[in-house]
């Protein structure tokens, strides 16, 4: 700007600045957390839901993206689905529900998860199942990776009831990710 | 704005723009890295501290949040604490200090960590213990998840000496996370 | 600003605001994703490349940083390198190429990866090798951690051909990370 600017000069400068602020606001990302969940262990799942619920308590919206092994943690053991032989075989090997999730360490033939669940209960920490229920009530969205469903032979009919659950491609995750202020993978 | 704006019009436009820039600056996040550490393997811990120290070298402040298995990596083998029988049992199964951490792969009955430590020394890479010491000297903050301490029966009295270590709830991590420019979990 | 501002007052206010917007734009980070890859399992690698390719489809630039076990996934089984005895031993224990990667779960003595590859093919999902080829063609950059190469005795001569691959220190990753809009570790 010249040292003694005219009204027109200033008006022009303000308009340019407004355009730049428009762009910054558009790119800034919402106050939203995009949380990828892949490992599907009891410990990782507890961490994911504790963080997700913690974020909603701070008015941060949360989108969870479930992929690979984590998808099996969403199965409802009381539901069944029609499957091919290969899909059935996969289904048997995967955990039948959140109650059957292994630990990433100290699995000890199934003793580990039982011990952790016991000690957490003793310390007044909510169970994974309670955390998932609260997540649903808090408006936390779960997006399930369609490709993982297919690759592991899992069907929509056998998934648990959850208020905000949908089946999406990886593109949806990328979009959620690129528009979120924070993101990480567990 | 009208095509020929008055001084008042411009003043108003500037004030509106200032408010928007105020909001953007408030939401932008500090030049800070929030680093969650959960797996607690020798390899993950080395990666976490190498990244944390690298970040401080670029004038990025670092907050580390230790949860689940990673908490046991902070134990001091020379310290003891009063525990219940169940807590003692957990304590025996968890690594007694950073020196006892397993690898996430190629553990080979304890040979793997020894080999990696040997080769890293040969290549002039600092040991995990040296990295942790430097982290403390560089002002890197370690926040230990209280819930994990309880769930694994670990006590504050048995944790290593570290200049900037405190015990926090998940809320603190969410806050650190939401105000940091970058964040991830290892 | 005074209630009735002069032309000079407004000019000064605009200049201050411009400086603040300059700073915000400089700190905002490019529309770029920094993706750390460490675990080097078949499932993690597929996830990493599916996300990386998905991001490029949304015009997000991608920098991948390969460290620890993931580095071995970039070996070309047809290439050899001169090594010490210790380096050779390490080389034998590490996967010889992407084709030999284990699963993080359900490895089942090598059956798991074969099954997943089979089912993914059946569902029309591209193989890891096809994904890696497309990543190279899409301009996705791979930065290999020099320290990991050294620690595992891997040599540049035995790495696969990839258009945008270089060998870097952790400082480069920190820089990529701090300038990227999003980042995470797999």
């Amino acid at each position: 700007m010249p040292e003694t600017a005219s009204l027109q000069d200033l008006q022009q400068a303000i308009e340019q600045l407004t355009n730049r602020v428009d762009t910054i606001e558009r790119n800034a990302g919402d106050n939203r957390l995009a949380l990828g969940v892949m490992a599907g262990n009891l410990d990782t799942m507890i961490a994911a839901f504790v963080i997700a619920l913690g974020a909603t308590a701070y008015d941060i919206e949360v989108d969870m993206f479930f992929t690979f092994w984590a998808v099996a943690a969403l199965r409802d053991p009381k539901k069944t689905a029609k499957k091919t032989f290969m899909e059935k075989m996969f289904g048997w090997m995967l955990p039948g529900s959140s109650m059957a999730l292994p630990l990433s360490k100290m699995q000890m033939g199934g003793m580990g998860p039982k011990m952790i669940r016991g000690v957490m209960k003793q310390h007044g920490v909510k169970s994974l199942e309670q955390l998932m229920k609260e997540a649903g009530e808090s408006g936390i969205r779960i997006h399930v990776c369609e490709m993982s469903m297919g690759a592991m032979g899992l069907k929509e009919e056998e998934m648990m009831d959850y208020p905000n659950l949908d089946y999406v491609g990886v593109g949806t995750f990328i979009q959620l990710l690129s528009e979120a202020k924070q993101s990480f993978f567990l």
Side-chain angles (χ1 to χ4, degrees), chain A:
Chain A
M1 270 192 282
E3 212 163 306
T4 51
S6 72
L7 217 53
Q8 271 75 5
D9 291 334
L10 294 191
Q11 184 166 355
Q12 214 181 354
I14 292 174
E15 278 162 11
Q16 283 172 3
L17 213 48
T18 305
N19 288 339
R20 288 169 69 189
V21 171
D22 285 347
T23 306
I24 292 171
E25 285 180 344
R26 223 179 7 253
N27 293 341
D30 314 324
N31 197 11
R32 201 157 39 74
L33 171 66
L35 200 53
V37 197
M38 181 174 173
N41 297 310
L42 179 60
D43 39 358
T44 344
M45 292 284 289
I46 291 172
F49 279 98
V50 166
I51 289 168
L53 281 163
T56 57
Y58 282 82
D59 285 326
I60 300 169
E61 275 188 67
V62 181
D63 285 286
M64 299 179 93
F65 182 70
F66 275 64
T67 179
F68 267 101
W69 317 105
V71 176
L74 301 174
R75 291 170 87 187
D76 183 331
K78 295 184 299 292
K79 297 189 184 174
T80 51
K82 239 186 107 178
K83 299 195 181 192
T84 65
F85 174 71
M86 190 71 166
E87 287 170 345
K88 269 186 202 155
M89 252 184 69
F90 253 86
W92 291 327
M93 289 183 300
L94 292 167
S97 77
S98 64
M99 288 304 297
L101 298 180
L103 280 177
S104 67
K105 278 176 198 299
M106 298 198 352
Q107 172 64 7
M108 299 183 294
M111 270 293 289
K114 281 202 182 67
M115 277 175 72
I116 285 278
R117 281 181 182 269
V119 186
M120 288 183 77
K121 196 174 172 182
Q122 229 176 38
H123 280 82
V125 184
K126 285 162 192 152
S127 72
L128 174 56
E129 290 67 31
Q130 283 171 302
L131 294 170
M132 289 168 92
K133 196 169 170 291
E134 281 185 24
E137 290 162 2
S138 306
I140 292 170
R141 290 178 288 269
I142 292 185
H143 309 282
V144 182
C145 171
E146 279 172 345
M147 196 198 280
S148 303
M149 294 281 285
M152 296 193 293
L154 295 174
K155 308 288 175 188
E156 297 191 12
E157 304 93 85
E158 62 180 312
M159 304 307 271
M160 60 179 261
D161 297 316
Y162 187 90
N164 306 293
L165 185 148
D166 60 358
Y167 301 88
V168 302
V170 76
T172 304
F173 181 59
I174 301 293
Q175 213 163 354
L176 289 170
L177 179 79
S178 68
E179 291 165 5
K181 207 177 147 205
Q182 296 289 2
S183 64
F184 49 78
F185 241 87
L186 277 177

